Amino acid sequence: MKDFAISDNPAVQKQLDRLGALSLPQGRIGLDVIRELLARLGNPEKRLPPVFHVAGTNGKGSTCAFLRAMLEADGLRVHVATKPHLVRYNERIRIGGELVSDAMLAALLEEVLDVAAGLSPSFFEVTAAATFLAFAREPADACVIEVGLGGRFDATNVMEGPAACGIASLGIDHDQFLLNEDPEAPSPTDNPMVRIAFEKSGIARPGSPMVTQGYTPDVAAEVERRAGLAGAPLHMRGRDWWAEAGSAAIAYRDRHGRLDLPLPSMPGAHQADNAALAVAMLRHQDTVTVSPASMAKGIRETRWPARLQKLGDGPLTELLPDKHFLLDGGHNPDAAQALAAYLGQQAVQPVDAIIGMMAAKDARRFLGILGPHLGSITAVPIPGNDSLDPDVLAEMAHDIAPFCQTAPDVPSALRMVGEHRKGPTTVLICGSLYLAGKVLQLNREFPD
């Protein structure tokens, strides 16, 4: 994938071309390279403002967005690292509320890539090192850092003493990396979810509170075991904190007392769970103080692109001006469940979906969950990525949705939808964050 190697700025493009030549480490796993790279840079990961470190399968990006909004609502200066980007690489590094500038980004990448000579780092290790370097140099009151892949061996997992670690919902994803055989880990064939829990809870750190969602007993036991081995105080939903979303508010309680919190502005019932986890992370640590009023304000003001995002006016949506457009980057079965719940309760019917998925994803299960809620499916490729062939995707969906077809690109798919569906119905574009990024770029809605 070369999506990150595109910039209008020549200085940034020069470094992104160097970054684009890197790849996933072949046969190498561990944190030795990122530690050596950071040592050559003077160990910036040891000079960060207080860090909130968030892992999980689904919801970790949204949880980071809620954390950022709550911290900023309290008047704090916050650095944020999330992934992947949707349109511009700059989205991965946010300095004090603003996306990293092209000038700073070019300088950061050049410095890291020059220092990395002979180490053969991966794209993710260079990205993490550049992020730590920026966050250590620019003053802030807090950092919010999203885990990229797994947790145990993620390049961000070299920090000491985060203010709090959080784990969002867990599910099967990236199984080619997280469910491989490892003598130090639970067998993936015995219980894949326990293995996922093992990997994600690898972010536990001595003395740093680890705040999690609630899980099935076997998964919860593994998270508890890992926290205990690390010496991390564990605060799990359903044991140490509780949150129930009603029709008008979230009823939250923990050992500190009760809070009546607003429902998120972001659509989807699952966002109340992500907001509650962010609140629990803030309330189970003592490093950064955030008032309940700021937590409530942050929940109301949080926005996060490509998560049931309602597309605005633009070149794409003007092709079908009478439609309601939803964009979602969910790409695994759990994300499909959340999408299906929303479509069944709140979307204008019928729903016509334009879907593109990466070849490594479990497209059959995704479609099996989502398909019954759709009036049609139009399968598209994702340019520049290893996406599933639209003909294969359409064949999978043939017995699920009433009508299936393929299109060479999203604009063509929209025109085809418009030909067979008239009136103010819903168009859902989903299946991949990479597809979501393409759509935002085509519609000129750039994340800021």
Side-chain angles (χ1 to χ4, degrees):
M1 295 175 293
K2 303 298 182 185
D3 277 2
F4 54 81
I6 299 172
S7 175
D8 294 332
N9 184 287
V12 173
Q13 186 62 57
K14 180 180 179 180
Q15 302 309 317
L16 291 179
D17 287 341
R18 297 173 68 190
L19 192 59
L22 304 176
S23 62
L24 288 171
Q26 300 299 317
R28 172 170 65 80
I29 193 167
L31 299 174
D32 292 343
V33 170
I34 182 63
R35 287 192 171 116
E36 174 59 27
L37 179 55
L38 291 169
R40 294 183 182 187
L41 293 165
N43 292 114
E45 82 283 4
K46 296 182 179 181
R47 304 191 307 275
L48 301 177
V51 172
F52 294 86
H53 198 202
V54 185
T57 304
N58 291 299
K60 61 182 185 291
S62 295
T63 300
C64 288
F66 283 115
L67 281 167
R68 173 199 165 198
M70 293 174 192
L71 290 160
E72 290 183 342
D74 215 65
L76 302 178
R77 178 176 168 83
V78 186
H79 298 332
V80 183
T82 55
K83 51 192 76 69
H85 66 274
L86 295 172
V87 179
R88 300 174 65 219
Y89 183 96
N90 307 57
E91 297 165 34
R92 293 172 177 260
I93 304 174
R94 188 177 293 272
I95 307 294
E98 301 293 335
L99 297 185
V100 63
S101 68
D102 283 339
M104 181 184 289
L105 178 59
L108 285 168
L109 291 177
E110 182 177 20
E111 181 175 358
V112 174
L113 287 164
D114 286 350
V115 165
L119 280 179
S120 298
S122 70
F123 164 81
F124 303 105
E125 288 161 335
V126 170
T127 298
T131 299
F132 290 143
L133 205 57
F135 288 3
R137 289 174 174 171
E138 296 291 326
D141 301 298
C143 298
V144 177
I145 297 179
E146 179 184 358
V147 170
L149 178 63
R152 179 171 59 130
F153 290 131
D154 186 73
T156 65
N157 199 31
V158 293
M159 297 175 291
E160 299 173 2
C165 298
I167 304 180
S169 68
L170 297 179
I172 303 296
D173 201 4
H174 300 295
D175 48 300
Q176 66 272 37
F177 298 106
L178 302 183
L179 296 181
N180 56 348
E181 291 293 340
D182 184 338
E184 298 182 3
S187 171
T189 57
D190 292 342
N191 188 331
M193 284 301 300
V194 169
R195 173 59 179 275
I196 293 293
F198 172 86
E199 297 292 346
K200 303 289 184 180
S201 55
I203 66 170
R205 286 290 179 268
S208 295
M210 189 160 78
V211 186
T212 78
Q213 294 285 9
Y215 310 115
T216 59
D218 51 353
V219 171
E222 181 61 20
V223 172
E224 188 172 14
R225 185 184 74 86
R226 293 281 279 165
L229 289 173
L234 178 62
H235 306 283
M236 187 174 289
R237 185 175 186 172
R239 297 184 185 181
D240 305 284
W241 62 276
W242 296 261
E244 296 293 335
S247 59
I250 302 171
Y252 175 95
R253 63 185 174 92
D254 58 24
R255 71 177 188 272
H256 301 295
R258 297 174 178 269
L259 294 177
D260 286 323
L261 300 166
L263 292 173
S265 300
M266 290 199 297
H270 57 289
Q271 293 297 357
D273 294 327
N274 298 326
L277 177 61
V279 168
M281 288 181 67
L282 292 174
R283 283 170 64 89
H284 287 90
Q285 54 84 41
D286 301 315
T287 306
V288 180
T289 301
V290 178
S291 71
S294 295
M295 294 177 191
K297 181 180 179 183
I299 291 174
R300 287 191 294 266
E301 295 182 350
T302 296
R303 301 292 184 273
W304 193 229
R307 278 72 175 179
L308 280 172
Q309 178 181 353
K310 297 179 180 179
L311 292 178
D313 295 336
L316 275 186
T317 56
E318 70 182 12
L319 294 175
L320 297 176
D322 59 341
K323 305 295 185 187
H324 301 268
F325 280 83
L326 283 176
L327 178 67
D328 195 88
H331 48 259
N332 56 38
D334 287 343
Q337 293 281 9
L339 259 176
Y342 178 83
L343 295 179
Q345 297 175 7
Q346 299 184 50
V348 175
Q349 300 294 325
V351 178
D352 295 296
I354 297 170
I355 301 179
M357 298 192 72
M358 299 296 287
K361 300 302 178 182
D362 190 348
R364 194 173 299 278
R365 285 188 63 200
F366 185 90
L367 293 171
I369 295 167
L370 195 60
H373 299 269
L374 304 176
S376 74
I377 291 176
T378 304
V380 296
I382 308 174
N385 292 272
D386 184 18
S387 59
L388 194 63
D389 186 287
D391 289 328
V392 174
L393 194 60
E395 181 62 29
M396 290 181 184
H398 187 268
D399 295 327
I400 299 171
F403 179 74
C404 298
Q405 60 186 354
T406 63
D409 50 48
V410 172
S412 298
L414 289 174
R415 295 185 185 98
M416 292 166 70
V417 168
E419 288 175 1
H420 82 269
R421 189 82 70 190
K422 307 300 181 182
T425 58
T426 297
V427 174
L428 169 68
I429 308 175
C430 68
S432 171
L433 283 168
Y434 295 105
L435 177 63
K438 301 290 186 185
V439 168
L440 290 173
Q441 191 168 19
L442 288 170
N443 206 48
R444 302 194 179 281
E445 292 191 54
F446 301 106
D448 58 4

